[in-house]
Amino acid sequence: MKVNGEQIQLTKAVTLEAFLVSQGYNIQRIAVERNNEIVPHETFSDVMLNDNDIIEVVHFMGGG
């Protein structure tokens, strides 16, 4: 699987939500694209990741 351009080997079946949490992402402050499609926040726990997935994670930043 590729995450933000970095190759990551999945060692077991995992949901998108579990993966993001294990990588230290605050899932309330990010947007995720999987294989060129935006993943709605409410489905993070339903989406099972595959070795051939391409994931892009974007952080929301505050500021002025």
Side-chain angles (χ1 to χ4, degrees):
M1 168 171 83
K2 196 175 271 191
V3 179
N4 291 345
E6 179 182 338
Q7 195 68 37
I8 295 180
Q9 183 69 39
L10 289 177
T11 57
K12 62 180 180 175
V14 65
T15 65
L16 176 59
E17 181 178 55
F19 173 78
L20 293 169
V21 169
S22 74
Q23 296 296 306
Y25 289 105
N26 177 345
I27 61 173
Q28 302 303 316
R29 299 189 53 92
I30 60 173
V32 177
E33 182 180 274
R34 176 181 178 228
N35 303 326
N36 297 315
E37 293 187 17
I38 300 295
V39 180
H41 278 257
E42 61 271 10
T43 66
F44 282 7
S45 63
D46 299 324
V47 174
M48 294 302 294
L49 296 176
N50 300 304
D51 281 329
N52 60 343
D53 284 336
I54 298 172
I55 306 293
E56 294 292 331
V57 181
V58 179
H59 296 265
F60 295 113
M61 313 236 5

